[in-house]
Amino acid sequence: MSFLQHGRKVFTALVLALVLTFTTACGTATQARQSPSATQPNVAYSQLERGNTTSGQSFGDWVIQTSHGLIRDAYVRDNDKLGAVISSDVRPNEVRTLARSLAQGFHNNFPNRNLTVLMYAPDKQLILTAKYDNQSHQIEYQ
């Protein structure tokens, strides 16, 4: 084996080791940031994960991106619970309509399930619960 080939293999191995080291370190830091412990009560709300599944995470991200500022934050749990924090731009008489739209989109992405949409005020107080019944295709508001 020539000196050049040996040097290339050593260089490739070194670069691979560095990439794996930094990728693992960054992944660990991200997980620590997304899973705040109970000893950190002042962690910003936006640092919580949007979903506890990959599809839930994607749907939560989609809700935020397509809401045009009406929804400040969203999360999906167990692919059957959607929580949405509305912005102060949403009027009280629009909350039910927004919850209905979210329930319909949620049902399209997670069919054949009973679903719950929890609507929160900007101060993160629960203001409306919409329960979608998969059998009757009706939404009950509480």
Side-chain angles (χ1 to χ4, degrees), residues 74-127:
Y75 68 88
V76 176
R77 297 293 179 265
D78 304 324
N79 293 340
D80 65 356
K81 291 175 198 69
L82 169 64
V85 179
I86 60 173
S87 73
S88 55
D89 296 336
V90 178
R91 293 186 210 118
N93 62 341
E94 298 173 330
V95 174
R96 185 179 275 211
T97 304
L98 185 56
R100 179 179 200 79
S101 295
L102 288 172
Q104 290 170 343
F106 199 30
H107 171 69
N108 289 340
N109 284 277
F110 300 96
N112 304 320
R113 295 173 182 253
N114 293 328
L115 304 170
T116 303
V117 176
L118 305 164
M119 301 296 291
Y120 294 92
D123 64 357
K124 298 172 189 76
Q125 296 296 316
L126 182 64
I127 56 174

Side-chain angles (χ1 to χ4, degrees), residues 9-88:
K9 284 186 180 184
V10 169
F11 179 73
T12 303
L14 182 63
V15 169
L16 182 59
L18 288 173
V19 168
L20 290 175
T21 301
F22 285 113
T23 303
T24 303
C26 292
T28 303
T30 301
Q31 289 173 349
R33 188 182 79 240
Q34 288 182 345
S35 302
S37 69
T39 61
Q40 297 174 325
N42 294 329
V43 173
Y45 188 79
S46 64
Q47 290 180 338
L48 298 176
E49 59 188 358
R50 296 228 192 273
N52 62 353
T53 64
T54 304
S55 55
Q57 178 84 25
S58 296
F59 186 74
D61 290 339
W62 178 83
V63 167
I64 298 298
Q65 292 170 357
T66 60
S67 72
H68 301 291
L70 296 177
I71 298 175
R72 287 185 24 213
D73 202 359
Y75 68 88
V76 176
R77 297 293 179 265
D78 304 324
N79 293 340
D80 65 356
K81 291 175 198 69
L82 169 64
V85 179
I86 60 173
S87 73
S88 55

